[in-house]
Amino acid sequence: VWLSEIMLQQTRVTAVIPYYERFLARFPTYEELAAASESELLAMWSGLGYYSRARNLQKAARLMVEMGGFPSTSEEIHELPGVGDYTAAAVASIAFGLPRVGLDGNIVRVMARWTAEAGDVKTFTIRTRLQEVAQNQIDTKDPGTYKQALMELGATICLPKAPKCLYCPINEDCGARLQGLQHTIPIQIGKATQISEERTVLWICRGEEVLLWQRPLDSKRLAGFWELPELETITQAKILRNLGEFSHSIVNHKYRIILREAKLRGGAGDLCQWVRLDQLKELPISTVLRKSLRLLKLDPRRQRTEGVS
C-alpha cells in the first residue's frame, strides 16, 4: 500500500502498474529495499520520473529497520520521508483500518461537487472544510474501502471535464448536479482562461408540448429557470436529426450548443416534465432555451414550430 501510494503521486495508474510489479518483486520487504544500492534503486525506478520519491522510499525503509517495523499510526506514518497528509491517511486507512481520509484531486472534486462548494478549492479554508466533510462521512468499519471508493468515483465517474452523472451512485444527493453546476464545480480561482465546451440539448415534442426541466429553486445559478434536457439526462431518447447550433458564453466558458430533435422510447424520468408551448411566454426560461426557440423560429406566443414536427 505504501509503495503504491508513493508511486501514484503525480503518476497515472496505467503507467505505475508495471513498475509496481517489478519493484515489489525485487524488493518484497522494506529490509531489502533499505539494503539496496542507490544505482540499483534508481535503475528499478528509471522511467517513472520524480526520482526523489525513490530516494525517500529508501530513506523511509532504513528508518523502519532502525524502528524495527512499519509505523502503524497515522502520525508515525506521516513522519516518514516523502509522506504527506494524503499519503499518511491513505496508508493508515487501507493498511491499518484507521478512520482517516486524505484529500487528493479526485476526492476534492467529489466532495466539492457533492456539497456544491462555491469557494476556491485551492484555499486552505475550503480544503479544510472538504476534509471535514469527507472525514465525517467515513465508514469507520471499513475506512480503507471508503477512501478507495472516493478515489475510484473521482477517477472513473466524477471526471474533471465530463462527469458521468448518469452512472454516479450518489447522483440523487449531489448538490452540484441538482443545481446544474457539475460542469463548473470545483472552482479554482486563478488566471481566467477561455474554456470551450460542446453541449447537446434535445428538442422533444409531444403534440403542443415540449419536454423541459426546471432548475431547483435553491440553485445558485438560474434558480427556477426552465431548460431543455441534455443527452445525458434522457436515457430513453432517440436522436432524429440535427436542428442547428449556436454559441453561448458564461463568464470564461464558451459553449457550442447543438440542438437535436429527438423522441422518447420510454419515460421522461423524474427530472423532466411536459410543458405546453403556449405556456413558455409565462415561464422563466434560460438563455439556451431562448436561443433554441429563436433558432427554430418559434414564437412562444404561437403554438407551432416552423419546420419542426
Side-chain angles (χ1 to χ4, degrees), residues 26-291:
R26 174 58 188 87
F27 307 119
T29 67
Y30 64 81
E31 292 94 343
E32 291 181 76
L33 175 58
S37 66
E38 181 173 315
S39 60
E40 184 179 18
L41 171 70
L42 296 180
M44 294 297 298
W45 198 274
S46 180
L48 197 56
Y50 300 99
Y51 291 94
S52 61
R53 293 182 296 174
R55 293 188 175 95
N56 282 329
L57 273 171
Q58 189 172 60
K59 290 177 183 177
R62 288 171 177 171
L63 280 176
M64 292 177 205
V65 171
E66 294 177 8
M67 296 164 54
F70 198 102
S72 58
T73 69
S74 180
E75 293 74 19
E76 291 174 330
I77 296 169
H78 196 287
E79 294 298 317
L80 295 175
V83 173
D85 294 342
Y86 169 77
T87 302
V91 176
S93 63
I94 299 172
F96 297 102
L98 299 176
R100 297 285 187 274
V101 59
L103 293 184
D104 78 327
N106 285 316
I107 297 178
V108 165
R109 188 166 56 256
V110 170
M111 289 292 104
R113 284 178 173 155
W114 189 57
T115 61
E117 176 55 60
D120 181 0
V121 297
K122 289 185 177 180
T123 64
F124 176 78
T125 300
I126 300 303
R127 291 185 75 89
T128 299
R129 179 153 64 227
L130 296 177
Q131 171 76 51
E132 291 174 352
V133 172
Q135 189 67 40
N136 289 337
Q137 296 295 321
I138 198 168
D139 180 356
T140 56
K141 294 181 179 179
D142 194 358
T145 298
Y146 168 78
K147 178 267 177 188
Q148 292 177 88
L150 286 181
M151 285 279 294
E152 193 75 1
L153 189 60
T156 62
I157 301 295
C158 196
L159 302 174
K161 295 182 179 180
K164 301 177 182 179
C165 297
L166 184 64
Y167 304 103
C168 180
I170 58 173
N171 57 15
E172 294 182 358
D173 298 323
C174 180
R177 179 175 183 267
L178 292 175
Q179 297 178 39
L181 299 174
Q182 64 269 33
H183 296 285
T184 58
I185 290 178
I187 295 171
Q188 300 184 53
I189 305 299
K191 182 178 179 180
T193 56
Q194 190 72 34
I195 300 173
S196 298
E197 190 173 330
E198 183 176 290
R199 307 278 284 275
T200 297
V201 294
L202 303 180
W203 182 263
I204 304 175
C205 275
R206 184 181 67 180
E208 301 301 326
E209 298 178 316
V210 61
L211 194 65
L212 303 175
W213 70 281
Q214 186 180 27
R215 290 181 180 272
L217 297 178
D218 60 352
S219 174
K220 295 180 181 179
R221 185 169 68 88
L222 296 178
F225 275 64
W226 291 85
E227 302 263 17
L228 287 171
E230 294 188 28
L231 192 58
E232 66 177 15
T233 308
I234 308 295
T235 59
Q236 300 299 320
K238 179 182 179 181
I239 303 299
L240 300 178
R241 56 174 171 150
N242 286 348
L243 297 175
E245 61 182 67
F246 54 86
S247 297
H248 178 61
S249 297
I250 302 176
V251 193
N252 64 322
H253 278 72
K254 185 175 182 180
Y255 297 98
R256 175 174 172 244
I257 306 295
I258 300 173
L259 180 64
R260 291 180 173 174
E261 186 180 11
K263 69 176 182 180
L264 291 180
R265 294 180 292 190
D270 297 331
L271 291 177
C272 298
Q273 55 185 293
W274 295 102
V275 177
R276 288 186 58 84
L277 293 173
D278 59 4
Q279 288 182 297
L280 294 180
K281 63 181 182 294
E282 304 170 2
L283 300 175
I285 61 176
S286 71
T287 302
V288 169
L289 176 52
R290 194 175 302 278
K291 287 183 177 181

